[in-house]
Amino acid sequence: MRNRVKIVLITGGSSGIGAATAKLLASDGMTVYAASRRGTSDGQADGVIPVKMDVNDEASTREVVERIIGEQGRLDAVICNAGNGIFGPVEGTTEEEARYQFETCYFGSLKTIQAALPVMRSQGFGRIITITSVMAILQLPFQGFYSSVKAALLSLSESLSMELKGTGIECCSILPGDVATGFTSARKFNASVTEASPYWDWMQRNKAKIEHDELSGMKPEVIGKAVLRQLKKRHMSVRVIPRIDYWAVGLLVRILPERAKLSLLKALYS
């Protein structure tokens, strides 16, 4: 009974955290469906099955869940990892750009969770893990929409964990810090990130620090190992911040008054 997780679906499974996690779970004996829009995975290994799936398309998401049930007869865990990033000031961000940020990270996760829940409920067992970010609790300038979407996903997971009490389905949010992946080069910049912006000089300093921290960050396997540990536990933790330094930062921001926290962050990212 200790480890009942055998069949797993992970979104954003083509590269980065998703691919590394898929490979680690497969090496532990799990069968992992690594879903992505391109339908391939850098985490090639026995037990990793790349599947083409667009989390922004409800039909695509449900088709993959139905395929897994048809092939395996069960779905034990879903890991919502697909995401994207946008950089720029709140003042200059259009509604279309803001919606772009929320569509994949939040609504894509919601579609995936809603597709899996009826299956897990019928089994009387399931594990739902959302990959959020320390930026859900540690807001940074010029990444307000990324912080917002990760905070929304964290709140969704923790609300859902209460709603599912007694069903055998558990939820966990994992909040990575800086991770060295292709996410950095794939980040989009909103249309107002130009030299004409009153924020231009600050944005350039901010961008340089963020990119340096990410590129020198932890390996994606660190997050994969955190996911594996949770899936193997009898009961998952509700919220996990991998690595002691980021955990300590998470504790610090809970202790500091909000004004002091924001002043400190502004100084660090100016």
Side-chain angles (χ1 to χ4, degrees):
M1 294 291 288
R2 182 170 177 78
N3 180 10
R4 297 173 59 187
V5 176
K6 297 297 181 185
I7 310 300
V8 181
L9 168 63
I10 183 168
T11 66
S14 62
S15 61
I17 291 172
T21 300
K23 190 172 183 178
L24 281 166
L25 300 187
S27 69
D28 198 66
M30 301 177 192
T31 298
V32 185
Y33 286 77
S36 66
R37 283 181 297 179
R38 61 184 170 96
T40 61
S41 177
D42 295 342
Q44 292 289 348
D46 290 342
V48 176
I49 303 171
V51 291
K52 194 169 185 177
M53 183 179 111
D54 183 354
V55 296
N56 296 327
D57 184 337
E58 183 177 351
S60 171
T61 303
R62 292 192 180 277
E63 285 171 8
V64 168
V65 170
E66 289 171 2
R67 172 185 166 179
I68 295 171
I69 299 307
E71 293 177 356
Q72 306 293 341
R74 59 191 286 188
L75 175 57
D76 301 319
V78 166
I79 303 163
C80 297
N81 170 69
N84 49 29
I86 188 168
F87 179 96
V90 171
E91 181 180 355
T93 302
T94 65
E95 180 179 343
E96 181 181 5
E97 289 167 334
R99 288 183 181 277
Y100 161 83
Q101 179 69 96
F102 273 78
E103 193 63 40
T104 297
C105 294
Y106 184 82
F107 290 106
S109 296
L110 177 62
K111 290 182 180 74
T112 305
I113 291 168
Q114 289 178 331
L117 275 176
V119 175
M120 293 179 173
R121 188 180 296 278
S122 68
Q123 296 171 167
F125 175 81
R127 297 288 181 260
I128 296 170
I129 293 181
T130 52
I131 306 299
T132 57
S133 169
V134 292
M135 286 178 60
I137 58 173
L138 194 72
Q139 302 77 22
L140 297 185
F142 307 118
Q143 295 203 72
F145 291 95
Y146 185 74
S147 287
S148 295
V149 76
K150 291 301 187 179
L153 189 57
L154 174 62
S155 293
L156 178 74
S157 175
E158 296 187 354
S159 292
L160 183 61
S161 70
M162 292 184 284
E163 294 176 11
L164 294 173
K165 186 174 177 61
T167 65
I169 307 169
E170 296 183 358
C171 301
C172 168
S173 281
I174 294 185
L175 287 64
D178 293 309
V179 183
T181 69
F183 181 88
T184 303
S185 61
R187 180 185 286 111
K188 292 193 175 185
F189 298 85
N190 74 30
S192 73
V193 182
T194 69
E195 291 186 46
S197 171
Y199 302 99
W200 177 251
D201 290 340
W202 185 9
M203 282 192 293
Q204 293 310 294
R205 296 192 301 272
N206 180 272
K207 175 177 173 289
K209 176 165 178 52
I210 288 170
E211 291 182 349
H212 172 270
D213 290 348
E214 289 174 347
L215 294 174
S216 58
M218 69 183 90
K219 294 182 178 180
E221 285 79 8
V222 174
I223 311 306
K225 289 176 182 178
V227 171
L228 179 60
R229 283 194 295 271
Q230 292 303 310
L231 292 181
K232 296 186 74 171
K233 290 176 65 174
R234 183 175 180 84
H235 294 292
M236 294 198 300
S237 302
V238 175
R239 184 185 297 191
V240 174
I241 302 178
R243 225 170 72 169
I244 187 66
D245 51 350
Y246 288 105
W247 178 87
V249 169
L251 178 62
L252 180 63
V253 300
R254 292 175 63 184
I255 296 172
L256 284 175
E258 285 300 309
R259 185 177 295 276
K261 180 189 80 170
L262 295 179
S263 295
L264 176 59
L265 289 173
K266 182 180 178 181
L268 288 172
Y269 288 88
S270 293

